[in-house]
């Protein structure tokens, strides 16, 4: 090793990473990522300055393992703030290790290295005297051109733009660092770039698939159902020429929304030169099904990388290592984070929405790739009401400033336009969606195919068990996982074969159960399926009879969509029942959350007001009234969460905003499970011998489950172990089940003290 200034220590080939090369490579990537953004030069400035502190003499010792606890980010952040007057660049530079913090003036003044020399709030040391660091940095980066700042200091728009700039910086930094550590004697080895969308070719291929599917279903599906799907497909192709913006897609269950909205997205991409499609799905089993459908359609034509499935909930917790990422575990966390470099991405509400408000590098890394995209929210009614106003504001900003179209698709369209005024208080554009389906009322009339019995008196579990036993094919949906387990075990004890779906099962397991269920339904063989509400939205199953525990009106309507879906019966039968509560248990505890209980109570109120003791779930206006009254009752714009979010926005408090905007309040981990023993053995061998990387993660997703991170003393730590990473150290997010008896063939992962950590 010579006396050069380095950014990173030696890789496995013994090659060190020069700081000049790293800064120039990161700035080139950032320039590419931000080509369409008005603040591109601020982003390039951040890239050139982000590791200025590594020019300090102590950092060379850090790379040799002789130092630790060094702050190498404040030097560049202070230069961006005082020389170039860019608050956004300063925050991004500081945040690329400790997360975006605050745009408050007093906080920004505290970045001054002279002050940090005397007392550092994180109890770290600078890498050198500030003047020495600057002199050494000038030896490798001799000049930086003048930059006109574009992003203001405060405001919702400023925070959003800063977060996207931060995303571009973090992604570029992580990609170049990864390329160094994956490199050899010949140089850095970058991961393969994502392929192009090629929407014209993909649309032709999708049209062929639709035509083939229609021919295959002609003999088994009702002609009215096929006609409704044809109308929706035609409507979607027509509306694809609409301008880029905010849209709603309102159509009944079973009308073919999943493929129709994909057709819209591809044609919309052709019309407006968009480069990515992001499908956002609330439940893992729907994501499994949709991902399989999309892969079956496109991978034979475009190959494996065309569809990216990112459903892991892991990584939503701490990401604030107050060091310099030469720590093996911290480096692994950053380099293993997903960046959505693929033409079609399927992900969850949690992943995309929390990222829009996140402040941590790993969570924000993918944000800049949402520009010039079509973002499809399937089953939009599942978006959390308490976060509705800030969510709509962020999506409106994404559409207006980053040339992306956002589509809210559902049979039970929330009346979010009712919140337009509240949204304008955060972001001036507000929420003014344009409906894509002009004939949606006609479609609902065509697809009335289920009669619903609304029971008022509570039903005992044994009574429900007896009723379900009388059906050859029946689906039962309950609100709580413990109720699903209780019912399932009643049937197991009686010797009747029963199937269950839950998030405690890995993706492959859920897919296998659904495949078996569909085959039995088609062959008219006995089939009893018990599940929580995770099956309701978008899962393609067709039962002649459905039982649904009383709940929110939209959930009941979605459950009806699993009954007589293909119109093979004159009418399907659905029973809405109320489970009998445990002795001394309040009604609220029949539901998973307070918001869920509140929505169920509004359904009960509407039912009591009805003159027919019935509610017409095929009337879109019923849902508009339901949501308007629900929003008036819950007042999401003035709730506690909304107030905290507004205060954080006004103060420019990025860290506080990230904490306030959480769909899941607890951090999670992913656990590789032995559902498919041969695949499990291969992945475990690779992890144990070589360590895991991003490619391993993608393969492991389908045989893993997500659980809330257990407390330190929880007994689950005795049955799992942390996976090693190729970058050294252990992963905090990925673990491996070492005792296969804790993965049940019916229930999935059943660890010790399961209720404390399983995701409902």
């Amino acid at each position: 090793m010579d006396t050069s200034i380095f950014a990173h220590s030696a890789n496995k080939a013994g090659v060190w990473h020069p700081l000049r090369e790293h800064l120039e490579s990161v700035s080139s990537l950032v320039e590419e990522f931000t080509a369409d953004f008005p603040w591109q030069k601020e982003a390039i400035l951040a890239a050139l300055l982000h590791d200025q502190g590594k020019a300090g003499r102590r950092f060379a010792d850090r790379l040799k393992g002789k130092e630790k606890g060094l702050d190498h980010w404040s030097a560049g952040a202070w230069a961006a703030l005082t020389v170039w007057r860019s608050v956004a660049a300063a925050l991004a530079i500081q945040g690329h290790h400790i997360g975006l913090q605050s745009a408050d003036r007093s906080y920004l003044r505290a970045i001054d290295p002279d002050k940090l020399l005397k007392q550092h709030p994180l109890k770290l040391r600078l890498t050198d005297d500030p003047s020495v660091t600057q002199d050494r940095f000038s030896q490798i980066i001799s000049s930086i051109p003048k930059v006109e700042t574009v992003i203001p200091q405060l405001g919702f728009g400023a925070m959003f733009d800063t977060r996207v700039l931060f995303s571009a910086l973090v992604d570029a930094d992580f990609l170049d660092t990864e390329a160094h550590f994956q490199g050899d004697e010949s140089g850095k080895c970058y991961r393969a770039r994502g392929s192009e969308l090629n929407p014209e070719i993909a649309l032709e291929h999708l049209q062929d698939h639709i035509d083939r599917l229609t021919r295959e279903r002609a003999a088994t599906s009702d002609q009215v159902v096929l006609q409704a799907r044809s109308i929706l497909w035609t409507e979607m192709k027509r509306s694809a020429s609409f301008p880029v913006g905010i849209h709603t897609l309102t159509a009944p269950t079973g009308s073919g929304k999943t493929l129709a909205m994909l057709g819209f997205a591809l044609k919309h991409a052709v019309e407006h030169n968009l480069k990515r499609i992001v499908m956002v799905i609330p439940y893992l089993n729907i994501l499994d099904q949709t991902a399989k459908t999309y892969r079956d359609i496109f991978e034979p034509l475009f190959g494996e990388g065309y569809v990216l499935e990112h459903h892991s909930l892991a990584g939503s917790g701490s990401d604030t290592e107050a060091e310099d990422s030469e720590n093996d575990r911290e480096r692994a966390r950053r380099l293993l984070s997903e960046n959505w470099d693929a033409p079609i991405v399927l992900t969850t509400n949690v992943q995309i929405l929390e990222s829009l408000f996140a402040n941590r590098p790993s969570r924000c890394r993918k944000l800049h790739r949402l520009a010039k995209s079509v973002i499809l929210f399937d089953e939009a009614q599942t978006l959390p009401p308490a976060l509705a106003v800030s969510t709509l504001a962020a999506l409106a900003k994404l559409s207006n400033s980053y040339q992306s179209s956002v589509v809210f698709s559902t049979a039970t369209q929330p009346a979010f336009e009712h919140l337009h005024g509240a949204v304008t208080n955060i972001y001036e554009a507000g929420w003014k969606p344009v409906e894509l389906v002009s004939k949606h009322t006609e479609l609902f009339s065509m697809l009335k195919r289920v009669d619903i019995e609304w029971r008022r008196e509570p039903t005992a579990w044994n009574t429900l068990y007896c009723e379900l036993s009388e059906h050859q094919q029946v689906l039962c949906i309950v609100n709580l996982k413990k109720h699903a387990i209780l019912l399932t075990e009643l049937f197991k004890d009686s010797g009747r074969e029963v199937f269950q779906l839950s998030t405690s099962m890995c993706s492959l397991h859920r897919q296998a159960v659904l495949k078996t269920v569909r085959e039995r339904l088609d062959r008219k063989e006995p089939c009893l399926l018990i599940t929580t509400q995770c099956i309701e939205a978008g899962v393609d199953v067709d039962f002649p009879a459905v039982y649904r525990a009383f709940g929110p009106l939209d959930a009941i309507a979605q459950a009806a969509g699993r009954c007589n879906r293909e119109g093979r019966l004159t009418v399907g039968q659905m029973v809405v029942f109320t489970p009998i509560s445990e002795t001394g248990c309040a009604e609220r505890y029949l539901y998973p959350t307070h918001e869920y209980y509140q929505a169920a109570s509004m359904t009960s109120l509407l039912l009591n007001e009805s003159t027919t003791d019935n509610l017409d779930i095929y009337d879109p206006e019923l849902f508009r009234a339901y949501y308007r009254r629900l929003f008036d009752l819950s007042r999401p714009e003035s709730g506690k969460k909304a107030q905290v979010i507004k205060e954080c926005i006004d103060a420019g408090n990025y860290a506080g905003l990230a904490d306030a905007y959480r769909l899941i309040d607890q951090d999670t981990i992913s656990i590789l499970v032995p559902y498919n023993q041969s695949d499990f053995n291969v992945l475990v061998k690779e992890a144990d011998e070589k360590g895991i990387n991003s490619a391993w993660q993608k393969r492991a997703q389908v045989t893993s489950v997500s659980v809330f991170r257990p407390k330190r003393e929880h007994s689950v730590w005795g049955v799992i172990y942390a996976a090693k990473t190729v970058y050294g150290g252990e992963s905090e997010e990925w673990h491996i089940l070492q005792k296969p008896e804790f993965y049940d063939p019916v229930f999935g992962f059943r660890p010790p003290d399961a209720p404390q950590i399983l995701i409902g």
Side-chain angles (χ1 to χ4, degrees), residues 617-651:
I617 63 167
Y618 296 99
D619 179 8
E621 288 307 311
L622 172 66
F623 287 95
R624 302 184 78 80
Y626 165 74
Y627 281 112
R628 280 196 298 267
R629 292 178 66 170
L630 193 57
F631 292 153
D632 287 342
L633 174 67
S634 61
R635 297 191 62 79
E637 72 277 14
S638 57
K640 184 176 180 180
K641 269 197 171 186
Q643 291 301 313
V644 172
I645 287 171
K646 184 68 164 58
E647 290 168 7
C648 290
I649 291 170
D650 291 342

Side-chain angles (χ1 to χ4, degrees), residues 68-366:
K68 64 179 181 178
L70 299 181
D71 171 353
H72 75 261
W73 49 85
S74 292
W78 187 247
L81 188 63
T82 56
V83 178
W84 283 273
R85 305 293 179 184
S86 174
V87 173
L91 288 170
I93 292 167
Q94 183 199 40
H96 84 283
H97 282 285
I98 64 172
L100 295 169
Q101 296 300 312
S102 174
D104 177 75
R105 288 183 180 277
S106 62
Y107 182 86
L108 294 172
R109 284 194 291 268
I111 299 175
D112 185 345
D114 288 327
K115 293 181 179 179
L116 295 176
L117 271 177
K118 299 173 184 175
Q119 184 175 9
H120 199 295
L122 298 177
K123 295 182 171 55
L124 304 177
R125 291 194 301 161
L126 300 185
T127 58
D128 216 326
D129 181 271
S131 61
V132 174
T133 299
Q134 179 59 52
D135 288 343
R136 286 168 60 85
F137 179 74
S138 297
Q139 296 173 25
I140 59 172
I141 302 293
S142 56
S143 65
I144 299 176
K146 180 68 176 175
V147 171
E148 292 291 333
T149 58
V150 174
I151 302 176
Q153 180 175 348
L154 293 172
F156 180 79
M159 293 183 80
F160 195 96
D161 291 337
T162 298
R163 204 175 287 111
V164 180
L165 184 156
F166 178 56
S167 163
L169 171 64
V170 165
D171 192 26
D173 183 27
F174 291 3
L175 285 171
D176 190 64
T177 302
E178 178 186 59
H180 164 68
F181 283 103
Q182 296 281 17
D184 54 28
E185 294 85 351
S186 302
K188 291 187 286 191
C189 181
Y190 285 95
R191 65 170 67 175
R193 290 292 188 99
S195 57
E196 298 295 320
L197 181 60
N198 290 315
E200 300 96 333
I201 298 172
L203 183 59
E204 290 176 8
H205 200 62
L206 178 61
Q207 181 69 68
D208 291 343
H209 175 81
I210 294 284
D211 293 342
R212 185 168 59 254
L213 206 59
T214 302
R215 290 193 299 270
E216 291 172 356
R217 288 178 170 174
T220 57
S221 295
D222 180 71
Q223 291 304 305
V224 175
V225 172
L226 295 177
Q227 183 186 357
R229 290 172 182 167
S230 177
I231 290 173
L232 181 60
W233 177 251
T234 302
E235 285 274 285
M236 287 295 92
K237 289 199 295 182
R238 176 193 60 80
S239 58
S241 60
F242 286 9
V244 167
I246 305 294
H247 305 285
T248 54
L249 190 172
T250 308
T253 56
S255 59
K257 290 190 300 297
T258 301
L259 292 180
M261 74 172 100
L262 178 59
F264 165 83
L266 288 170
K267 196 166 191 303
H268 198 57
V270 173
E271 295 277 349
H272 300 288
N273 193 30
L274 304 179
K275 58 186 180 183
R276 183 169 288 105
I277 295 170
V278 181
M279 173 70 84
V280 187
I281 297 174
Y283 302 125
L284 295 184
N285 57 303
I286 315 170
L287 196 151
D288 299 339
Q289 173 184 286
T290 307
K292 183 179 186 307
T293 299
Y294 286 8
R295 285 201 174 100
D296 289 347
I297 295 170
F298 295 121
E299 284 192 350
L301 183 66
F302 294 115
E304 281 190 11
Y306 193 77
V307 177
L308 170 67
E309 183 180 354
H310 185 207
H311 60 62
S312 171
L313 302 179
S316 58
S318 173
D319 186 16
T320 54
E321 177 75 31
E323 284 198 28
D324 44 39
S325 85
E326 293 305 311
N327 173 295
D328 286 338
R329 175 171 288 194
E330 180 63 12
R331 179 189 296 138
R333 177 211 297 278
R334 294 161 185 267
L335 300 190
L336 289 173
S337 59
E338 182 55 68
N339 72 345
W340 287 6
D341 185 13
I344 296 181
V345 177
L346 291 97
T347 191
T348 60
N349 288 345
V350 174
Q351 276 292 345
I352 189 169
L353 294 180
E354 288 194 359
S355 294
L356 292 174
F357 292 86
N359 74 317
R360 297 186 291 271
S362 298
R363 298 304 303 275
C364 288
R365 179 179 184 179
K366 52 191 173 283

